[in-house]
């Protein structure tokens, strides 16, 4: 597997226990993309996701599907499976994945976070010739 020497961090801050939001609640997530850093936040759930990868912003801008293309259920299901596989690989030595992703299946993160996480995991798989399914 080709090694990439990019600085990459995906951090979920302040996930408050098992607090869940119903799917009927408004998604108040905000996204900010600049200089290779993608920041997603939702003040209602008190979390923040930061992706720092110089190649992701360019790839995302040229390869993403438009918002609304995927349903929230599709994104959540795909992210659950991919994060589970990601975390299993992260626990293996020399897998090339140095950290786990704290993704709680009981928390509704909203469309924006699931949309961005899906595309990041898709990007990482394509750039690193990795299969998470």
């Amino acid at each position: 597997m080709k090694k990439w020497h990019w600085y990459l961090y995906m951090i979920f801050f302040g996930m408050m226990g098992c607090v869940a939001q119903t799917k009927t609640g408004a998604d108040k997530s905000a996204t900010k993309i600049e200089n290779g850093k993608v920041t997603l936040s939702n003040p209602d759930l008190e979390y923040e996701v930061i992706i720092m990868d110089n190649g992701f912003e360019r790839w995302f801008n040229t390869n993403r599907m438009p918002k609304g293309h995927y349903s929230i259920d599709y994104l959540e299901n795909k992210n659950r499976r991919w994060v589970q596989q990601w975390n299993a690989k992260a626990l293996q030595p020399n897998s090339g994945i140095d950290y786990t992703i704290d993704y709680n299946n009981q928390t509704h993160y909203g469309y924006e976070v699931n949309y961005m996480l899906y595309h990041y995991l898709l990007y990482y798989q394509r750039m690193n010739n990795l299969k998470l399914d």
Side-chain angles (χ1 to χ4, degrees), residues 52-120:
M52 292 172 37
D53 186 323
N54 292 330
F56 177 67
E57 181 182 354
R58 182 175 164 206
W59 181 91
F60 180 73
N61 287 332
T62 58
N63 293 285
R64 70 179 171 206
M65 297 303 288
K67 289 183 181 173
H69 179 80
Y70 302 109
S71 71
I72 184 70
D73 290 334
Y74 175 83
L75 294 172
E76 287 175 338
N77 288 331
K78 200 66 147 168
N79 287 341
R80 282 183 196 115
R81 286 196 318 260
W82 282 357
V83 167
Q84 183 180 26
Q85 290 296 312
W86 176 281
N87 289 342
K89 288 184 182 299
L91 297 175
Q92 298 172 357
N94 301 319
S95 69
I97 298 175
D98 299 326
Y99 55 91
T100 60
I101 299 173
D102 185 12
Y103 185 87
N104 184 336
N105 293 338
Q106 302 302 314
T107 301
H108 176 64
Y109 296 106
Y111 190 87
E112 191 75 24
V113 168
N114 279 288
Y115 175 79
M116 192 64 71
L117 179 59
Y118 169 82
H119 280 93
Y120 176 73

Side-chain angles (χ1 to χ4, degrees), residues 28-61:
K28 295 181 182 175
S29 299
T31 303
K32 181 178 169 185
I33 303 175
E34 60 183 26
N35 301 325
K37 179 179 176 181
V38 179
T39 304
L40 299 127
S41 61
N42 184 330
D44 288 347
L45 295 178
E46 298 181 20
Y47 67 80
E48 184 174 49
V49 178
I50 300 172
I51 301 170
M52 292 172 37
D53 186 323
N54 292 330
F56 177 67
E57 181 182 354
R58 182 175 164 206
W59 181 91
F60 180 73
N61 287 332

